[in-house]
Amino acid sequence: GREKCDFGCTHCRKCFKACEYEAIVWNKDKQIPEFDPNKCTDCGACIEVCPNNTLERLWVESKEKKEDQKEKLKEKAVI
């Protein structure tokens, strides 16, 4: 899925530099960070360095999406 920071990004790359798990890549063409929720560990390092608190909303959405995926996997395992 598409996960990126379109709104409020100042292009400072602090989130990209803070991520130790390669869950954030810098799109050179668009000059924005793009996020891979599958690699994200929800450590919050990117949120802490974001000067506009832009990532908090994206992180919560990603976390909710992960929880939904976990629940679906549990349902499949029960069947």
Side-chain angles (χ1 to χ4, degrees):
R2 186 182 132 264
E3 298 285 338
K4 61 183 178 180
C5 185
D6 294 314
F7 182 74
C9 182
T10 61
H11 315 285
C12 67
R13 298 186 185 201
K14 288 182 180 182
C15 60
F16 169 70
K17 293 174 185 173
C19 184
E20 297 178 17
Y21 303 98
E22 298 180 357
I24 303 174
V25 294
W26 190 258
N27 184 318
K28 293 179 184 176
D29 294 331
K30 297 179 182 178
Q31 291 297 305
I32 57 172
E34 293 181 340
F35 304 88
D36 183 344
N38 296 318
K39 291 183 179 180
C40 179
T41 64
D42 295 335
C43 71
C46 59
I47 295 170
E48 289 186 26
V49 298
C50 181
N52 293 341
N53 296 322
T54 304
L55 296 179
E56 186 171 357
R57 180 171 43 93
L58 295 173
W59 181 70
V60 169
E61 288 173 10
S62 176
K63 187 174 182 180
E64 289 170 356
K65 188 183 297 184
K66 280 184 174 183
E67 292 302 318
D68 288 346
Q69 289 172 348
K70 286 178 187 176
E71 286 300 316
K72 287 178 186 176
L73 287 175
K74 285 180 188 176
E75 291 171 9
K76 287 182 181 181
V78 173
I79 295 174

